Amino acid sequence: MNFTSKLLFWYQQNKRELPWRNTQDPYVVWLSEVILQQTRVNQGLAYFEAFVKTFPTVFDLAAAEEETVLKLWQGLGYYSRARNLHHTAQAVVENFNGKFPESYQQLLKLKGVGDYTASAIASICFNEPQPVVDGNVYRVLSRVFGIETPIDTTTGQKAFKTQAKKLIDESQPGEFNQALMEFGATHCTPQKPACESCPFQSNCVAFQLQKVDRLPIKNGKTKIQTRYFNYLVVVSSDEKTLLEKRTEGIWKNLYQFPLIEKETLTHIQKKEVMECFPNLEIDSLVLYNENPIIHKLSHRHLHIQFWVVYTAPLNGEGIAVDWLKKFPVPVVIHNFIESFSF
């Protein structure tokens, strides 16, 4: 079986027309790869277009305020990648005069650029035969070649990288990498792959051994932590509210309403709120959502309640409620702001 030639032929017949495939500009390719690590193409396309429109060049992105970048990223999650995106743009401008390094090894030196992103840019933009290995690639290679080494181990990651290196078309490495990722994303999918029309069916180990639904193999399961958040939404009689900026964690540098975290789901008492806002005259406290919102992240499940705190005028403190939508916030808070009538 000539896997590579079959894959490239399939790609020419089936590839989706996507804007980042019409260029070898490393800035554009880099943006697309970082965004698509977070989401599927149908959702990521809108984010990609927004970033390219707002920041047409790496100089524009480097010069932006971090809050502007975070606001544009809002809803994608993994906000450290947005911060790294901004830092990397600044490094490219400051250290390379706005020109991306042209080799895999040099690209790896950029903050936030790992093996996957460096391989993608090096192969697509600079024709360097560096194989890309992502979730789609793990799935295709494990099934077609029957690789049962767990993908969440160092041994497994090396094995898949080695296999991809053997297969890559050195004359068109970027095309090969995009073809392999596309095949995994649209044909050899996690659920209900199109095995009946697969060009590799007769040679696919997983298909022959009826193991398609069991590959790839992943060893560990992430331990999920449950946390209980109570957001205090101040609504003053002079139409202001309070926000605070997070200084750590996955939502670092995003804004949120003042927070009381509990060990269990429990009602907040007015005296607890008064302790949080000792200088505020509190009129009333109202629970907005009787049923907690369960916000699922990769390592934790957040049980969230919003408490509306009606107060006397904030005068010189706080921000006007009309300004709320300008701040970068976690998506769960964004959804609350959209639904709540201030």
Side-chain angles (χ1 to χ4, degrees), residues 230 260 262 264-270 272-273 285-287 289-290 305 307:
N230 294 275
I260 295 177
K262 295 279 192 175
T264 59
L265 191 64
T266 183
H267 268 56
I268 297 296
Q269 303 299 318
K270 189 174 179 179
E272 295 178 87
V273 179
L285 174 67
V286 179
L287 175 60
N289 54 309
E290 287 289 344
Q305 291 182 316
W307 296 83

Side-chain angles (χ1 to χ4, degrees), residues 26 29-34 37 88 100-134 161 168 173-174 177 181:
V29 172
W30 168 65
L31 275 181
S32 70
E33 293 299 338
V34 174
Q37 286 181 56
T88 301
F100 274 76
E102 297 185 5
S103 74
Y104 168 78
Q105 291 297 337
Q106 288 298 314
L107 286 162
L108 280 177
K109 295 178 181 179
L110 295 173
K111 184 173 183 179
V113 174
D115 174 74
Y116 167 84
T117 308
S119 297
I121 297 172
S123 62
I124 295 169
C125 303
F126 306 118
N127 217 36
E128 186 177 340
Q130 289 291 340
V132 167
V133 180
D134 71 347
K161 186 81 172 176
I168 195 169
N177 281 334
M181 290 188 288

Side-chain angles (χ1 to χ4, degrees), residues 233-246:
V233 184
V234 171
V235 179
S236 69
S237 57
D238 55 350
E239 297 185 339
K240 290 184 178 181
T241 190
L242 297 174
L243 288 180
E244 58 186 22
K245 191 174 185 177
R246 290 185 66 97

Side-chain angles (χ1 to χ4, degrees), residues 326-339:
K326 297 181 181 294
F327 291 84
V329 296
V331 68
V332 68
I333 291 180
H334 167 79
N335 292 339
F336 171 82
I337 292 170
E338 290 290 317
S339 64

